[in-house]
């Protein structure tokens, strides 16, 4: 059973930094993809950053140059710098199976409980 547990959220002033962590367990597949998503108040969930089984990364335009995603065998982190009030959201880590034949990720189907990030101006 795949489990993801986030930690590291909190409150910070604009311009500050936070580091989110996600512990991934139970994944027995030969490879997997992980990512961070967020849901701002009153808005739909959006992709923030992902990293696949061959370490390719993607970032939402709104966080490029400010956020950095990384992963090792069982953990994933999101370093968030130069935070803005519009980064305020519930942040979720997620995992998806790696499709070796097509070298891409399946749909993200495993989710953590979320961790709140609040950035004040």
């Amino acid at each position: 059973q795949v489990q993801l547990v986030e930690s590291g959220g909190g409150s910070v002033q604009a311009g500050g930094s936070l580091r989110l962590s996600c512990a991934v367990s139970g994944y027995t597949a030969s490879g997997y993809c992980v990512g961070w998503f967020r849901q701002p108040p009153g808005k739909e969930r959006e992709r923030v950053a992902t990293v696949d089984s061959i370490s390719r990364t993607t970032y939402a335009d709104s966080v490029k140059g400010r956020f950095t995603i990384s992963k090792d065998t069982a953990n994933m982190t999101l370093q968030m710098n130069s935070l803005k009030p519009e980064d305020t959201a519930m942040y979720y880590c997620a995992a998806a199976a790696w499709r070796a034949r097509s070298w891409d990720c399946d749909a993200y189907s495993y989710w953590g409980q979320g961790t709140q990030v609040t950035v004040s101006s």
Side-chain angles (χ1 to χ4, degrees), residues 23-98:
V24 183
S25 62
Y27 222 108
T28 58
S30 59
Y32 61 93
C33 310
V34 289
W36 288 96
F37 296 75
R38 68 186 181 187
Q39 186 165 17
K43 297 184 179 181
E44 294 188 351
R45 188 170 57 195
E46 59 186 14
R47 176 184 60 85
V48 176
T50 63
V51 54
D52 67 18
S53 190
I54 54 174
S55 300
R56 295 178 301 188
T57 57
T58 69
Y59 294 93
D61 288 343
S62 59
V63 307
K64 282 181 181 177
R66 300 189 297 121
F67 291 12
T68 303
I69 189 171
S70 61
K71 77 174 178 100
D72 58 23
T73 304
N75 293 283
M76 174 177 63
T77 61
L78 184 69
Q79 179 66 42
M80 305 186 294
N81 298 326
S82 302
L83 283 162
K84 304 175 181 180
E86 50 264 43
D87 294 318
T88 294
M90 183 70 79
Y91 283 70
Y92 299 89
C93 66
W98 169 249

